[in-house]
Amino acid sequence: LKILPIFLSIFALGNFIFSKISKETKGLENTLFSFGFGFSSFFLLIFLFSSFGTWNFYSSLALVVLPIVIFSKKLYGYLKKLFKYKIDAKFKPFSLIVFAAFASFTVFSLNVVQSVKNIPSGWDDLTHYILLPKLLAEKGGFFPEFPTHSFGLLTSMGYTLFNNGAVTIFMSFVVGILAMFAVYKILTRFIPGKESLLLTLFFYCLPMVFFQSSAELKIDMPLLFFGALSILAYFKYLDKNSNKWLFVCALIAGIAFGVKYTAVLLIFSLLILLSYKHLKAIGAFAMGLLSLGLIIVSGNATSFHYFNNSVLQYIGMGLLVFGALLFIYQAFKSRCGLKPVLIFALIV
């Protein structure tokens, strides 16, 4: 229950910001985007507090209390609707979806039990995702060893407010549950409701998802939340053809990159999709070559172990230059198609 006011505050602030961007989005989508903007705002505010060395109990308390007080009327109205929400669902007693729901609830219960712990159970827990946020809370600001992932800023609230490692771990677990709702919302665009729910439940029961959710505190589930949310925003951009949704997609993809560097694969994928939409197949192909070249040149193509480093660098530079030239050619050819791709890249 200690994390409840934190997440209420995150939602209240995010809902206020998102309502200025989109008033027509309702239901689950509105809730997910509100949390997305709330997390982003908290990352920024905690970053500012930490930069000035003022991240402590009092600044954390103000960050939690003020949004709830300022937006209390709107928050109360949302909670009132939430508790009156009815779900009409008819399932056969021994159907596959009932079995999946039972299995998911079992996994959820185990996740809750394993998440409520003060002592880290894994190496990453001990060295990164608990120790460093704890040091951030103790020092009141940044220090040289602090990692560049933004989710550690949020989890440090478990120590600034409560000095409790269990709160820190459980915050990551709750964001993982939000990620499942985001995955479900994406699936409903392609598959009917019951089948989407079934697939989401099965996905939640996967061993790797279980491991990332509780066995060891990771930032992969928060990464999944922001990644799925950026994909959802991209679909909204396709539906509405509005630059504001392109802005939302790029902003959330950038936040995902701040959570974990592997989000660069998501960013490149979205750039390829945008290039295909506005610059046709040649633009998408060029962006794919450019992206692959950047990955190789940056030294992250470790799977190509049968090439030595110098050869890989030459290959990467070749792909990068050829992809860039082909992309520029296609951009000049289509003229107006470059703008959305550049907007996305610059915002990220």
Side-chain angles (χ1 to χ4, degrees):
L1 292 177
K2 288 180 179 179
I3 67 168
L4 183 60
I6 297 175
F7 278 85
L8 283 176
S9 181
I10 289 170
F11 174 80
L13 181 58
N15 185 253
F16 170 75
I17 297 171
F18 183 64
S19 64
K20 303 300 179 183
I21 297 173
S22 174
K23 295 185 182 297
E24 71 274 7
T25 307
K26 305 293 182 182
L28 181 57
E29 281 188 351
N30 179 68
T31 302
L32 292 171
F33 281 113
S34 296
F35 271 114
F37 276 89
F39 286 128
S40 305
S41 303
F42 266 56
F43 292 157
L44 176 60
L45 292 170
I46 297 171
F47 175 82
L48 293 174
F49 281 124
S50 300
S51 298
F52 291 103
T54 56
W55 182 234
N56 51 42
F57 172 78
Y58 300 104
S59 54
S60 302
L61 188 64
L63 195 57
V64 171
V65 172
L66 287 177
I68 294 177
V69 173
I70 295 171
F71 308 115
S72 58
K73 187 176 180 181
K74 197 169 184 179
L75 185 62
Y76 173 75
Y78 175 83
L79 292 175
K80 192 175 180 181
K81 287 181 182 178
L82 181 65
F83 285 108
K84 287 184 177 180
Y85 186 75
K86 293 181 180 180
I87 300 176
D88 275 337
K90 295 180 180 180
F91 303 112
K92 295 180 180 179
F94 300 102
S95 63
L96 186 60
I97 197 166
V98 172
F99 168 77
F102 178 78
S104 299
F105 182 76
T106 304
V107 171
F108 174 82
S109 303
L110 291 171
N111 283 342
V112 171
V113 171
Q114 292 198 30
S115 295
V116 184
K117 58 188 176 184
N118 275 307
I119 301 172
S121 61
W123 176 254
D124 287 343
D125 286 4
L126 184 62
T127 57
H128 289 287
Y129 306 129
I130 291 183
L131 175 61
L132 293 176
K134 179 176 172 62
L135 290 174
L136 177 67
E138 290 176 351
K139 294 178 182 294
F142 290 124
F143 51 94
E145 297 82 7
F146 190 80
T148 51
H149 66 80
S150 55
F151 198 73
L153 298 173
L154 182 67
T155 53
S156 67
M157 294 186 77
Y159 289 104
T160 54
L161 286 173
F162 308 108
N163 194 26
N164 191 321
V167 175
T168 298
I169 295 172
F170 206 71
M171 288 173 73
S172 179
F173 166 72
V174 172
V175 179
I177 298 300
L178 290 175
M180 293 301 104
F181 282 105
V183 169
Y184 166 74
K185 196 60 188 177
I186 291 173
L187 289 173
T188 55
R189 295 185 63 91
F190 307 99
I191 307 170
K194 286 184 180 181
E195 286 76 7
S196 299
L197 179 60
L198 181 63
L199 287 174
T200 305
L201 293 174
F202 275 128
F203 178 73
Y204 185 63
C205 292
L206 291 176
M208 184 52 68
V209 175
F210 174 80
F211 175 77
Q212 302 286 0
S213 300
S214 67
E216 186 174 353
L217 176 63
K218 298 279 191 180
I219 54 176
D220 296 85
M221 295 306 289
L223 172 63
L224 176 62
F225 170 71
F226 287 104
L229 204 58
S230 65
I231 293 171
L232 196 58
Y234 178 75
F235 286 136
K236 298 287 285 185
Y237 167 67
L238 293 179
D239 293 340
K240 307 291 184 180
N241 199 26
S242 170
N243 282 337
K244 71 178 180 181
W245 281 108
L246 183 63
F247 167 80
V248 171
C249 177
L251 178 66
I252 296 175
I255 297 297
F257 183 73
V259 171
K260 195 170 184 179
Y261 289 154
T262 48
V264 71
L265 299 175
L266 169 69
I267 293 169
F268 284 151
S269 300
L270 289 171
L271 281 170
I272 291 170
L273 289 172
L274 276 171
S275 299
Y276 182 78
K277 175 177 171 57
H278 297 286
L279 299 172
K280 309 305 178 185
I282 295 177
F285 178 69
M287 180 58 71
L289 292 178
L290 201 155
S291 302
L292 182 59
L294 281 172
I295 292 172
I296 294 174
V297 169
S298 64
N300 292 312
T302 54
S303 58
F304 298 106
H305 57 273
Y306 37 84
F307 292 114
N308 60 48
N309 289 334
S310 60
V311 174
L312 272 178
Q313 288 297 310
Y314 284 124
I315 293 173
M317 284 301 298
L319 291 172
L320 185 59
V321 171
F322 179 70
L325 290 174
L326 185 61
F327 184 81
I328 293 170
Y329 164 77
Q330 185 65 11
F332 275 107
K333 188 178 176 181
S334 64
R335 295 183 181 180
C336 61
L338 180 62
K339 185 179 177 181
V341 182
L342 283 180
I343 289 174
F344 179 89
L346 289 172
I347 293 173
V348 168

